[in-house]
Amino acid sequence: VGIDLGTTNSAIAILRDGVPIVLPNRHGEPLTPSTVAFLAGGSVVVGQEANAQARSNVPNTVVAAKRFMGRSPDQCLIETRRAQVEVVPTADGTGVAFRLPALRGVGDLTPEEVAAHVL
């Protein structure tokens, strides 16, 4: 199994008789948008459904979480300004996290935690 967790889109492939085959998502598409939306009540939607939420649920929809992975707050200044969600330093100050209104009381999510929903 090969997984491409892309900044914009993600894909999964397998090798069958030495030939790579990209597996379609549940919509029959080879690529899944790497977008994750968090809804009131704790539901999470990914991909095309999350892209739709990007217009109506802006402060709870994370686009391009990968751009923030493994980077300090200082290294994410441009991305933080472009982000439509609130980006905050982690408690230890070495990374960033997303503070989403839908998760109030639950805590902030790191980029890795958000990206895990895509997988």
Side-chain angles (χ1 to χ4, degrees), residues 38-118:
F38 297 85
L39 310 178
S43 296
V44 179
V45 293
V46 176
Q48 293 155 327
E49 293 90 347
N51 274 348
Q53 289 289 316
R55 292 181 273 294
S56 61
N57 187 19
V58 175
N60 291 302
T61 304
V62 181
V63 177
K66 186 176 170 184
R67 293 190 194 282
F68 295 88
M69 286 184 177
R71 299 174 72 195
S72 71
D74 289 342
Q75 294 171 318
C76 294
L77 293 176
I78 292 172
E79 290 82 2
T80 298
R81 279 186 238 129
R82 290 181 182 160
Q84 295 186 343
V85 296
E86 185 178 359
V87 180
V88 298
T90 54
D92 65 5
T94 61
V96 297
F98 303 108
R99 183 164 292 157
L100 309 170
L103 300 178
R104 227 178 275 299
V106 175
D108 303 331
L109 291 178
T110 64
E112 294 81 3
E113 291 171 318
V114 171
H117 288 282
V118 175

Side-chain angles (χ1 to χ4, degrees), residues 2-6 9-13 22-23 30-32:
I3 300 173
D4 176 9
L5 177 62
N9 292 293
S10 295
I12 297 177
V22 176
L23 300 176
L31 298 176
T32 298

